[in-house]
Amino acid sequence: MDNRIYDRPAVSVIIPMSDNTRNMKKLLSVVKRIDPHTEVIVVCNGVSSQEANLSNEWGVLVLSTGLEVDSHEAIAIGSAHARGDVVLFIDGRLAMPLLYLKKYVTLVKKGWDVIITTCSDHWGFKRGERSAHSAYCLLNHLLGQKSMGSASFENIPFALSRNALEAIGFKTLCHPAVAMVQASVMGLKMTTIAPFAAENQPMGTRDIVQKDIRTIYREHAKAIQLLTGGTKQRRAEQDGQRHRDLVHASDVLHLRSVIHLESRVKEGGGRGGKRKAKYARSHKKTQRRAH
């Protein structure tokens, strides 16, 4: 039955897809059974040759980007069209069983806002290669979400409640690290699911663009900067009797605290203040005697 006859589907499934993904029909047969009222949105990298077939045979909404996008840009595009109370994001290149995907939907229906997959660090990494695992853990630690471990919006699948999607904003999903910061500071209820371990996952011959590890590091650095700059500690507010100056030392510019000593000498307070006040009084007496 075509799920589009329902005004409001219970579940929206977003699938970034390469044009030649081999297991798409098998995947669609699984996701259609997640809930009786499921809408499926497939986001194709470039222009899809399968659009008519997927739309007519499977009742799928197919969005062709017309250009090269990475998986999270495709996710953001798809989520802008999602209407479900639960929004599940999966990878069109990976085959996952129905019961595993249902876990995400069930947790949202039980009241969780965000369900994220933890990172399986051995996936796709050879010994000596750099991994994004440490970046995910560091960000969660700084967010006060240490229990989230290596969970990240970089990891697919993940699921959001309608409330969470609207709070985070579909555009923010282009930047998974920023989305993580948003979800945490907004107090959304988050939990994790361990990754599904399966060997010999079928892959497409023309994949959605994958992020470079350096891009992931750079995005996490920006998210941490956003987090620290967004707190109420100092920000651009006055810093007592201090001000920050750029100091040139050893050919390196750096920030240095410069303390206004005049007020502390008058008050006789602060580190060395009493000594400086005593010296000032002694100096004045010496000048009076000289006259």
Side-chain angles (χ1 to χ4, degrees):
M1 182 180 293
D2 191 336
N3 59 279
R4 292 177 295 179
I5 64 173
Y6 297 99
D7 293 333
R8 185 70 172 268
V11 180
S12 295
V13 181
I14 314 296
I15 311 174
M17 184 191 77
S18 60
D19 195 39
N20 295 314
T21 300
R22 300 169 185 171
N23 64 317
M24 180 52 68
K25 290 185 177 180
K26 181 178 179 181
L27 181 60
L28 290 176
S29 67
V30 171
V31 299
K32 281 285 189 175
R33 290 182 285 141
I34 291 176
D35 188 278
H37 302 163
T38 298
E39 72 169 355
V40 181
I41 301 173
V42 172
V43 184
C44 295
N45 195 10
V47 179
S48 174
S49 60
Q50 303 185 54
E51 182 171 352
N53 179 52
L54 291 174
S55 181
N56 295 331
E57 183 178 349
W58 294 94
V60 170
L61 173 61
V62 181
L63 304 173
S64 296
T65 64
L67 47 88
E68 297 290 317
V69 297
D70 66 39
S71 58
H72 284 84
E73 289 171 335
I75 279 172
I77 292 169
S79 63
H81 294 79
R83 298 175 296 124
D85 295 321
V86 181
V87 186
L88 174 64
F89 303 87
I90 65 176
D91 193 330
R93 303 169 303 153
L94 305 177
M96 290 179 228
L98 177 62
L99 291 178
Y100 178 73
L101 295 177
K102 275 189 172 183
K103 288 181 181 179
Y104 293 84
V105 176
T106 300
L107 286 171
V108 174
K109 289 182 176 180
K110 286 183 177 180
W112 294 93
D113 292 307
V114 179
I115 295 88
I116 312 179
T117 308
T118 54
C119 179
S120 179
D121 202 39
H122 63 273
W123 279 11
F125 295 109
K126 297 179 181 179
R127 188 172 183 178
E129 289 186 353
R130 290 185 298 172
S131 155
H133 181 277
S134 57
Y136 303 159
C137 291
L138 174 60
L139 181 57
N140 288 333
H141 183 77
L142 293 175
L143 288 169
Q145 301 280 358
K146 192 174 180 180
S147 62
M148 297 289 288
S150 60
S152 170
F153 283 111
E154 293 281 359
N155 305 327
I156 302 175
F158 66 88
L160 302 174
S161 66
R162 167 58 49 183
N163 174 60
L165 178 59
E166 293 175 354
I168 295 171
F170 72 89
K171 291 182 180 179
T172 307
L173 294 178
C174 288
H175 310 286
V178 176
M180 193 72 179
V181 171
Q182 289 278 75
S184 181
V185 299
M186 288 180 175
L188 297 177
K189 194 177 178 182
M190 298 191 288
T191 190
T192 63
I193 286 183
F196 175 72
E199 298 179 356
N200 302 320
Q201 289 280 15
M203 304 291 283
T205 57
R206 178 172 174 264
D207 294 337
I208 292 282
V209 178
Q210 299 300 299
K211 282 186 182 178
D212 181 84
I213 186 68
R214 289 172 296 182
T215 302
I216 293 176
Y217 286 163
R218 186 166 57 250
E219 289 184 353
H220 277 70
K222 288 182 179 179
I224 291 171
Q225 185 179 28
L226 174 66
L227 175 64
T228 55
T231 64
K232 294 182 179 180
Q233 297 177 352
R234 299 253 171 93
R235 297 178 69 181
E237 298 172 359
Q238 293 184 351
D239 190 14
Q241 291 296 323
R242 297 171 182 262
H243 64 273
R244 310 293 175 176
D245 277 353
L246 280 173
V247 179
H248 190 84
S250 304
D251 298 322
V252 177
L253 284 173
H254 60 90
L255 284 172
R256 178 178 178 178
S257 296
V258 181
I259 305 176
H260 292 289
L261 294 176
E262 183 179 356
S263 62
R264 294 200 175 191
V265 169
K266 290 179 180 178
E267 295 171 3
R271 188 172 62 182
K274 291 182 178 180
R275 180 178 58 81
K276 291 180 175 65
K278 183 177 180 181
Y279 173 81
R281 288 194 299 269
S282 176
H283 182 65
K284 287 179 181 179
K285 287 181 181 179
T286 302
Q287 286 181 330
R288 284 198 297 268
R289 288 171 185 172
H291 293 341

